[in-house]
Amino acid sequence: MGYDGKILRRALQRYDDERQEREARLQERRQSIFRRQPRLAEIEAELRATMSRLVADALRHGTDPRKAIATLREENLGLQAEKQMLLAGMGLPLDCLEEKPACPLCNDTGYRNGGMCRCLKRCYAREQQKELSRMLDLGAQSFETFSLEWYSPDANPNLGISARENMQWIYRTCRRFAENFAPGYGSLLLTGDPGLGKTFLSAAIAREVSNDGWSVVYDTAGHVFDRFESRKFGREDGETIEADVSRVLNCDLLILDDLGTEMVTSYVQSALYGIINGRLLEHQATILSTNLKLEELSHRYSAQIASRIEGEYQILPFFGEDIRKLKKERS
């Protein structure tokens, strides 16, 4: 999985902060209980002191410390019984003084079996959604809030189907893509005039895929090409530029919006082909969103780029009336 280093660092910091908060709450709870029953603090101190002594003796004499711990347990049954009796008398669970990991799978380390544990993946997903929310309205744009009422039920005489029927198919395709997402699942081209829902469905896909723990990068084509060009010509801090380029090339899902609005140069054509071809070779999914038709992509960029898209991407053509204008007229 291609994790974004910047987001992963924030996720790890958040993960550690949450762990420290749990530890602080545990200490507050322990101190509150000890104030109510000071004898419990004395018992805990006695148990710790005895354990330290026995383990130190075992290590000093070169014996197995596990045997010392077993002896400790037998010798301190009385203290343990007294501790349990006091807690029961206070109406508290017997393990209320113990530290329990929030994630029993990794014991709050964030990693298990050589990979990232699902608890840290959830933390990463939350931080990633914050990043995505800077450009997308993830709070309002979801599959559940998508509405077909803005698309005409009348058949288009040139296409033989209505805008609503077409959008029902596009909606199902996008939802299936998001719900079944995995590296190598495929790539999409969202093409059509402005105001037809391309960005809305892109946001819905980003939200769903990110929630499942995959790394998602959403950006405009113009900004991405600018970052690639800055790397080539050394215009900015090299480490920052490399991180920006790396996240585009290595994320599990790249959503490149507004393709066709940037100024086309030979370098932009080269960068776009590199992104498309490189991600296809690495079996990484990409969503391209553009107001251009496929034949216009060929004229604007190159036949080679258009051929790669036509041969490898599922093409979703949007048509209908501009929803933003319809909403404005009805308001």
Side-chain angles (χ1 to χ4, degrees):
M1 184 177 295
Y3 291 107
D4 184 329
K6 178 175 65 176
I7 297 176
L8 181 57
R9 285 191 293 273
R10 290 207 302 263
L12 286 169
Q13 183 61 56
R14 176 65 177 270
Y15 189 84
D16 189 57
D17 290 344
E18 291 177 353
R19 181 170 51 205
Q20 292 184 34
E21 288 172 7
R22 290 193 299 273
E23 291 174 356
R25 288 195 298 270
L26 171 64
Q27 292 307 315
E28 290 176 6
R29 183 170 70 247
R30 285 170 58 87
Q31 293 304 315
S32 175
I33 293 172
F34 292 157
R35 284 193 294 270
R36 291 172 58 190
Q37 179 49 266
R39 175 57 184 157
L40 285 169
E42 295 173 0
I43 292 173
E44 291 239 318
E46 290 179 43
L47 290 171
R48 284 197 303 273
T50 306
M51 177 177 286
S52 297
R53 176 177 55 79
L54 289 175
V55 172
D57 287 345
L59 292 174
R60 187 162 49 248
H61 294 93
T63 57
D64 189 346
R66 289 176 294 183
K67 295 180 180 178
I69 294 172
T71 302
L72 168 68
R73 289 176 180 152
E74 293 177 4
E75 292 181 356
N76 290 293
L77 287 177
L79 288 174
Q80 295 285 3
E82 183 183 359
K83 176 182 174 181
Q84 293 176 7
M85 181 187 67
L86 290 172
L87 290 172
M90 298 170 71
L92 297 173
L94 300 182
D95 62 351
C96 65
L97 295 173
E98 312 302 327
E99 182 176 0
K100 297 183 287 293
C103 179
L105 296 177
C106 70
N107 290 319
D108 293 347
T109 64
Y111 294 89
R112 69 186 286 258
N113 298 331
M116 189 182 293
C117 185
R118 67 186 185 190
C119 59
L120 182 53
K121 287 181 180 179
R122 286 194 294 267
C123 195
Y124 181 93
R126 291 198 300 271
E127 292 301 317
Q128 182 170 244
Q129 292 219 346
K130 290 180 185 177
E131 184 79 11
L132 292 170
S133 293
R134 295 178 184 178
M135 299 187 71
L136 295 168
D137 185 7
L138 295 185
Q141 295 172 326
S142 68
F143 289 116
E144 287 71 23
T145 59
F146 183 81
S147 175
L148 290 168
E149 70 169 289
W150 303 104
Y151 302 90
S152 172
D154 300 327
N156 183 303
N158 296 321
L159 301 174
I161 63 170
S162 69
R164 183 170 297 180
E165 289 172 318
N166 182 62
M167 282 310 302
Q168 285 176 328
W169 168 70
I170 289 177
Y171 171 84
R172 288 194 299 267
T173 301
C174 289
R175 185 152 198 171
R176 185 168 58 250
F177 178 93
E179 292 176 347
N180 299 319
F181 182 83
Y185 186 72
S187 294
L188 304 175
L189 173 68
L190 279 52
T191 173
D193 292 336
L196 296 179
K198 298 189 299 296
T199 298
F200 191 111
L201 286 176
S202 293
I205 292 172
R207 176 189 183 124
E208 186 85 21
V209 173
S210 177
N211 269 338
D212 287 341
W214 302 103
S215 60
V216 180
V217 169
Y218 174 95
D219 210 337
T220 63
H223 184 254
V224 167
F225 295 145
D226 178 70
R227 305 310 285 164
F228 273 66
E229 197 166 9
S230 293
R231 182 183 68 163
K232 179 178 176 62
F233 298 107
R235 294 174 181 168
E236 297 181 38
D237 174 67
E239 186 174 340
T240 301
I241 291 294
E242 283 297 332
D244 287 347
V245 170
S246 176
R247 63 197 293 265
V248 168
L249 295 177
N250 298 318
C251 62
D252 297 315
L253 174 61
L254 170 65
I255 302 176
L256 203 60
D257 199 11
D258 286 337
L259 181 65
T261 59
E262 75 291 335
M263 184 174 67
V264 177
T265 64
S266 59
Y267 181 77
V268 165
Q269 291 178 321
S270 174
L272 177 58
Y273 181 78
I275 292 170
I276 291 173
N277 193 57
R279 291 184 62 82
L280 284 172
L281 291 175
E282 294 297 326
H283 305 290
Q284 296 164 322
T286 306
I287 295 176
L288 301 177
S289 179
T290 180
N291 299 334
L292 302 175
K293 297 179 176 62
L294 188 61
E295 57 270 22
E296 292 174 318
L297 288 175
S298 178
H299 295 147
R300 182 176 177 84
Y301 300 106
S302 70
Q304 188 181 28
I305 289 174
S307 175
R308 292 296 276 159
I309 293 173
E310 187 173 14
E312 302 289 348
Y313 283 55
Q314 183 170 10
I315 300 172
L316 306 181
F318 289 62
F319 68 88
E321 297 184 67
D322 189 324
I323 294 173
R324 286 188 286 266
K325 291 182 179 178
L326 291 175
K327 289 182 176 180
K328 187 175 182 179
E329 291 171 359
R330 297 186 189 183
S331 62

